[in-house]
């Protein structure tokens, strides 16, 4: 037998037992296409994983940035409130100082008035005391009178 006849028909050397060359080629192409499809799916899955990972990183970065911004806002608010408190305290302290000055001024005025009254009445009071001390009237104490 020649080689051409053995390839076309069934022979003991045939590599494809019951299928024709077209069927085997079709199966091989189908498997190759499936393999390519699987490769495409794997590539798409890898790409999706990379996209998800990048999104997670962006989310983490945004959360960290938002946290830092919130901390900065809190610090600014605290400083603003503290500044307002210090201003209010200084204002109240200033009014307290003016109140203390007013009280001191009134005290000084009252002391000046008392000092003036002492100067005016000093001689008469001393004279009266001396009269009472020097003019002794002996009397029996009222507890002894009975």
């Amino acid at each position: 037998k020649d080689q051409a006849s053995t390839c076309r028909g069934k022979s003991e050397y045939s590599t494809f037992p019951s299928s024709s060359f077209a069927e085997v080629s079709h199966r091989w192409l189908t498997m190759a296409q499936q393999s390519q499809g699987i490769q495409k799916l794997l590539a798409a899955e890898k790409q999706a994983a990379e996209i998800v990972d990048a999104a997670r990183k962006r989310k983490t970065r945004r959360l960290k940035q938002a946290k830092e911004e919130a901390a900065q806002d809190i610090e600014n608010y605290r400083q603003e409130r503290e500044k307002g408190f210090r201003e209010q305290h200084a204002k109240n302290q200033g009014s307290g100082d003016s109140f203390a000055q007013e009280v001191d001024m009134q005290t000084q005025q009252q002391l000046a008035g008392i000092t003036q009254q002492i100067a005016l009445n000093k001689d008469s009071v001393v004279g009266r005391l001396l009269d009472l001390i020097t003019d002794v009237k002996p009397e029996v104490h009222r507890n002894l009178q009975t």
Side-chain angles (χ1 to χ4, degrees):
K1 291 185 179 180
D2 62 307
Q3 283 185 337
S5 65
T6 46
C7 285
R8 287 184 200 152
K10 291 185 178 182
S11 76
E12 54 190 61
Y13 301 108
S14 175
T15 56
F16 308 112
S18 64
S19 305
S20 70
F21 180 74
E23 288 177 17
V24 171
S25 296
H26 178 65
R27 285 184 196 159
W28 185 81
L29 282 175
T30 305
M31 287 181 13
Q33 287 173 349
Q34 287 176 348
S35 176
Q36 285 178 348
I38 291 172
Q39 292 300 320
K40 284 182 181 179
L41 285 174
L42 289 174
E45 186 178 328
K46 182 178 178 182
Q47 185 180 9
E50 290 172 357
I51 290 171
V52 168
D53 188 46
R56 282 188 183 134
K57 287 179 181 178
R58 278 194 311 272
K59 180 181 177 182
T60 303
R61 191 171 47 246
R62 280 191 317 234
L63 286 174
K64 185 177 179 182
Q65 181 182 6
K67 188 176 182 180
E68 289 171 357
E69 288 175 2
Q72 183 63 37
D73 288 345
I74 290 169
E75 181 63 23
N76 290 342
Y77 179 74
R78 186 189 64 76
Q79 287 176 354
E80 179 182 315
R81 296 293 290 176
E82 191 172 302
K83 181 182 176 185
F85 173 75
R86 278 187 261 130
E87 289 173 357
Q88 186 69 26
H89 187 284
K91 181 181 173 185
N92 289 340
Q93 185 68 24
S95 67
D97 288 345
S98 66
F99 180 73
Q101 289 173 350
E102 186 178 326
V103 169
D104 286 343
M105 188 173 70
Q106 288 176 356
T107 304
Q108 292 299 325
Q109 288 174 351
Q110 289 176 352
L111 285 175
I114 292 171
T115 306
Q116 186 181 11
Q117 290 292 326
I118 290 172
L120 289 174
N121 298 324
K122 181 179 178 181
D123 291 334
S124 66
V125 170
V126 170
R128 255 183 99 192
L129 283 173
L130 286 175
D131 285 342
L132 288 172
I133 293 172
T134 56
D135 186 25
V136 177
K137 297 178 185 173
E139 294 180 358
V140 179
H141 194 271
R142 67 178 182 211
N143 288 344
L144 287 176
Q145 290 178 357
T146 49

